[in-house]
């Protein structure tokens, strides 16, 4: 079997050397810059709808226009399917996997609540509900599966998949029939470009519905994220400048503007090393300290690496203080409250010597502790415990 995987992109990137990967410039019809890659605006295409469909405009193009391989797939310019050991699959590896499986895709995400609850927290849940109604009308044999899974806590993500062309085409025919009807029924005005990509978000879950309803043999594997997003690097660069100038107010105004335009900048897929979240915490802390004390930690340290290191240590200290005061019953109930905290706990917590710089403010420590404490009572106990730890190091 021959395998070709299209790496969907809207910017220039380091294309893998393996000829199996083909870069595809999505949204090419309305792009302001050409990178020399094939675009999704030839033949039968929906390139002009890329703002709503995201990488799906490329998924559609492959369905309608590409027939030169037995198996086709979709990945992103930063995300590639890999083995458990972290190796990107070769064409021979895909051939072996697809000899025994119908589709290769991501591992299932396990959500803190139901998929519907999570979607509704970030998007208009009526859009998801309308999707279910359309499935009931067009494909009633899928409706029970949709209803069951939408109230459970799992999904695929990224619209990343590899399959035999016939399987891929069948999925696309089902998916786009649903979305073209949904497009007629919903209001396509959105508050920002992030929320505008509504079909791209819903399709991640619909792939899970389709695979489940058809009892497909799915080979679920890891996804390697290669490098930070360009937008994420831009934020870090600007934060470096604001910190160097000790401009807490300017940093706050800039970050608020970024979040207004790109609310996904703090999501783990964008902020893979957690530094944007730490920058936000640092900016918030600096402005709170200025309001309370008339000065802030930037008078002590103003280099980007030092600030990131300090807040990592602060969060590690705070998380340790919270864990130290939890009763057995509280520990069973304690859960990370936000994606921000989950990222800290999973990626950037590290052991410290149990102390913080003497200039660390009470406000900064209490704010860090509150990230990890489930309620104010736990936060107060953790703060008292942290003070004992600090005093023992004096």
């Amino acid at each position: 079997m021959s395998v070709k995987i299209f790496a969907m992109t809207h910017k220039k990137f380091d294309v893998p050397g393996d000829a199996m990967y083909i870069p595809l410039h999505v949204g090419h019809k309305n792009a302001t810059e050409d990178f020399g890659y094939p675009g999704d605006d030839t033949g039968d295409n929906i390139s002009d709808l890329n703002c709503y469909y995201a990488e799906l405009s490329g998924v559609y193009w492959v369905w309608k226009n590409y027939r030169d391989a037995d198996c086709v797939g979709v990945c992103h310019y930063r995300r590639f399917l890999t083995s458990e050991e972290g190796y990107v699959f070769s064409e021979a590896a895909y051939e072996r996997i697809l000899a025994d499986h119908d589709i290769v895709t991501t591992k299932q995400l396990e959500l803190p609540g139901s998929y519907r609850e999570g979607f509704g927290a970030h998007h208009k849940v009526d859009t998801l509900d309308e999707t279910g109604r359309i499935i009931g009308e067009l494909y009633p044999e899928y409706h029970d599966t949709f209803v069951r899974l939408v109230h459970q806590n799992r999904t695929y993500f990224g619209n990343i998949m590899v399959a035999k062309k016939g399987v891929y085409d069948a999925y696309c025919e089902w998916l786009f029939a649903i979305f073209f009807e949904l497009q007629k029924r919903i209001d396509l005005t959105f508050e920002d470009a992030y929320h505008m990509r509504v079909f791209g978000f819903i399709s991640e879950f619909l792939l899970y519905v389709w695979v489940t309803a058809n009892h497909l043999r799915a080979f679920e594997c890891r996804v390697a994220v290669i490098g930070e997003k360009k937008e994420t690097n831009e934020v870090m660069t600007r934060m470096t400048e604001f910190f160097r100038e000790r401009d807490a107010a300017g940093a706050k105004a800039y970050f608020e503007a970024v979040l207004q335009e790109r609310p996904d900048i703090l999501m783990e897929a964008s902020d893979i090393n957690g530094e944007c979240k730490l920058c936000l915490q640092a900016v918030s802390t600096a402005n709170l300290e200025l309001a309370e004390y008339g000065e802030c930690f930037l008078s002590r340290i103003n280099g980007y690496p030092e600030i990131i290191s300090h807040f990592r240590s602060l969060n590690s200290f705070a998380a340790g203080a919270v864990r130290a005061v939890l009763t057995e019953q509280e520990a069973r109930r304690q859960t990370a409250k936000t994606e921000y905290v989950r990222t800290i706990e999973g990626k950037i917590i590290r052991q410290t010597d149990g102390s913080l710089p003497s200039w660390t403010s009470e406000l900064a420590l209490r704010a860090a502790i509150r990230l990890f404490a489930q309620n104010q009572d736990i936060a107060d106990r953790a703060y008292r415990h942290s003070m004992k730890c600090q005093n023992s190091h004096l």
Side-chain angles (χ1 to χ4, degrees):
M1 293 186 293
S2 57
V3 182
K4 292 295 182 182
I5 299 175
F6 290 82
M8 306 299 177
T9 188
H10 61 292
K11 59 186 63 179
K12 197 169 183 64
F13 73 109
D14 292 329
V15 181
D18 191 331
M20 175 177 63
Y21 291 98
I22 302 173
L24 185 65
H25 188 163
V26 295
H28 188 260
K29 183 174 183 178
N30 297 320
T32 58
E33 187 175 359
D34 187 274
F35 309 117
Y37 305 146
D40 65 348
D41 55 343
T42 62
D44 188 347
N45 73 85
I46 56 169
S47 183
D48 58 336
L49 297 176
N50 173 262
C51 59
Y52 304 111
Y53 282 84
E55 65 274 354
L56 291 183
S57 66
V59 171
Y60 181 94
W61 186 91
V62 174
W63 169 37
K64 290 294 188 178
N65 300 284
Y66 190 80
R67 297 174 180 82
D68 294 337
D70 301 306
C71 305
V72 296
V74 174
C75 68
H76 298 186
Y77 71 98
R78 295 172 59 245
R79 297 175 181 167
F80 298 86
L81 295 171
T82 73
S83 66
E84 287 299 313
E85 296 74 28
Y87 296 108
V88 176
F89 294 119
S90 65
E91 184 173 18
Y94 276 117
E95 289 175 1
R96 289 193 298 270
I97 294 169
L98 289 170
D100 299 315
H101 296 81
D102 300 304
I103 187 171
V104 186
T105 187
T106 70
K107 288 184 181 294
Q108 296 172 29
L109 285 181
E110 185 171 342
L111 310 173
S114 73
Y115 180 82
R116 186 177 184 277
E117 290 169 348
F119 186 89
H122 300 284
H123 308 280
K124 298 174 182 176
V125 74
D126 289 349
T127 303
L128 181 62
D129 293 340
E130 188 63 31
T131 303
R133 284 190 283 271
I134 291 170
I135 290 174
E137 297 167 14
L138 300 183
Y139 300 101
E141 67 273 25
Y142 288 85
H143 189 252
D144 287 348
T145 302
F146 175 90
V147 172
R148 175 169 58 86
L149 296 184
V150 82
H151 294 293
Q152 294 181 5
N153 68 333
R154 291 181 178 274
T155 185
Y156 291 135
F157 72 97
N159 293 310
I160 302 173
M161 60 177 287
V162 182
K164 292 179 181 178
K165 187 63 163 64
V167 174
Y168 180 95
D169 289 353
Y171 168 64
C172 288
E173 182 174 2
W174 178 82
L175 179 72
F176 288 104
I178 295 166
F179 279 166
F180 289 160
E181 180 59 29
L182 180 63
Q183 186 178 324
K184 299 174 187 176
R185 300 189 188 186
I186 64 173
D187 182 0
L188 292 178
T189 58
F190 297 90
E191 59 267 40
D192 53 51
Y194 170 75
H195 290 93
M196 193 177 290
R197 304 196 298 268
V198 60
F199 302 110
F201 292 122
I202 297 177
S203 61
E204 296 177 312
F205 175 68
L206 291 191
L207 177 60
Y208 181 47
V209 172
W210 189 75
V211 168
T212 303
N214 286 295
H215 307 288
L216 296 189
R217 299 167 299 168
F219 186 88
E220 300 174 355
C221 49
R222 296 174 57 184
V223 175
V225 181
I226 312 299
E228 296 283 8
K229 281 188 174 182
K230 178 182 177 183
E231 296 86 350
T232 306
N233 285 324
E234 288 174 355
V235 169
M236 295 174 185
T237 299
R238 291 298 306 278
M239 286 296 105
T240 299
E241 297 169 357
F242 284 117
F243 291 153
R244 184 173 60 245
E245 298 298 323
R246 297 184 169 89
D247 184 2
K252 180 175 183 288
Y254 168 75
F255 220 118
E256 287 175 346
V258 169
L259 288 174
Q260 185 69 28
E261 183 177 350
R262 294 296 306 271
D264 59 322
I265 199 74
L266 295 176
M267 293 183 179
E268 189 170 355
S270 300
D271 186 25
I272 62 175
N273 65 10
E275 288 190 16
C276 274
K277 300 174 185 69
L278 289 170
C279 284
L280 177 58
Q281 184 181 355
V283 169
S284 300
T285 299
N287 282 277
L288 288 171
E289 288 179 339
L290 283 172
E292 183 70 18
Y293 310 127
E295 63 177 1
C296 69
F297 70 85
L298 290 173
S299 65
R300 304 278 186 168
I301 55 172
N302 69 329
Y304 183 88
E306 293 80 11
I307 290 171
I308 293 300
S309 178
H310 172 65
F311 278 89
R312 280 178 172 163
S313 296
L314 176 62
N315 288 333
S316 181
F317 185 85
V322 170
R323 287 194 295 267
V325 302
L326 292 177
T327 65
E328 184 177 339
Q329 184 177 20
E330 287 171 337
R332 286 197 296 268
R333 293 199 306 263
Q334 178 80 355
T335 56
K337 298 182 298 180
T338 64
E339 182 178 354
Y340 177 94
V341 173
R342 288 196 297 276
T343 302
I344 292 173
E345 291 187 326
K347 286 191 172 184
I348 61 179
I349 286 292
R350 65 184 186 191
Q351 295 299 317
T352 69
D353 64 359
S355 63
L356 295 170
S358 59
W359 45 262
T360 303
S361 71
E362 175 184 343
L363 188 154
L365 180 55
R366 284 188 178 276
I369 287 173
R370 198 63 184 91
L371 288 173
F372 300 94
Q374 198 170 41
N375 56 53
Q376 191 59 50
D377 175 60
I378 294 174
D380 291 339
R381 283 153 44 199
Y383 180 75
R384 291 193 294 271
H385 175 82
S386 69
M387 287 297 94
K388 292 179 183 177
C389 293
Q390 281 287 84
N391 292 336
S392 69
H393 283 83
L394 295 178

